[in-house]
């Protein structure tokens, strides 16, 4: 019961619209790797593991599910279009920079 209340409180203070569609790689979708790269480009958002060994297509999910798993994503709500944020591990801070063409 307390977990549900905590989840509701976290959702109530979430900065992102929880229904915002975000593209994720298969590793993030299956929760086998953490989110280490967030890209905001051409109005779209991607939350990725940062690896390049993806064997199947990505998935579209509501960002609310991802913020529940990793509340630090909410820090990126103001990431400008054309920018990305990266970190080396979930314990590290996000480093933001312009996307390279």
């Amino acid at each position: 019961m307390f977990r549900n209340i905590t989840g509701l409180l976290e959702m109530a203070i979430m900065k992102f619209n929880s229904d915002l569609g975000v593209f994720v790689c298969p590793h993030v979708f299956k929760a086998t790797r953490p989110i280490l790269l967030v890209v905001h480009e051409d109005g779209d958002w991607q939350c990725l593991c940062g690896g390049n060994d993806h064997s199947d297509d990505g998935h579209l999910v509501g960002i609310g599910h991802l913020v529940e798993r990793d509340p630090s994503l909410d820090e990126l709500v103001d990431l400008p279009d054309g920018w990305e944020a990266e970190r080396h591990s979930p314990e590290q801070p996000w480093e933001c920079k312009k996307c390279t063409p």
Side-chain angles (χ1 to χ4, degrees):
M1 178 172 155
F2 290 111
R3 185 169 190 266
N4 290 340
I5 291 171
T6 302
L8 289 173
L9 290 174
E10 288 173 358
M11 295 299 284
I13 58 174
M14 181 186 302
K15 296 175 185 173
F16 275 105
N17 174 349
S18 64
D19 293 334
L20 174 69
V22 177
F23 295 99
V24 297
C25 68
H27 300 115
V28 169
F29 183 76
K30 296 174 186 171
T32 59
R33 293 187 189 165
I35 298 167
L36 300 179
L37 175 63
V38 175
V39 180
H40 184 201
E41 193 168 35
D42 297 327
D44 291 327
W45 289 85
Q46 299 176 52
C47 292
L48 311 166
C49 69
N52 58 6
D53 59 338
H54 303 107
S55 60
D56 58 350
D57 294 333
H59 304 270
L60 183 64
V61 300
I63 197 163
H65 298 291
L66 302 177
V67 173
E68 280 182 26
R69 272 195 288 185
D70 183 350
S72 76
L73 292 171
D74 237 5
E75 298 170 20
L76 303 175
V77 69
D78 294 324
L79 186 71
D81 199 337
W83 283 65
E84 62 186 38
E86 190 170 20
R87 60 188 176 178
H88 296 287
S89 75
E91 295 78 29
Q92 304 247 318
W94 291 104
E95 296 179 20
C96 302
K97 65 179 182 177
K98 273 193 155 187
C99 295
T100 54

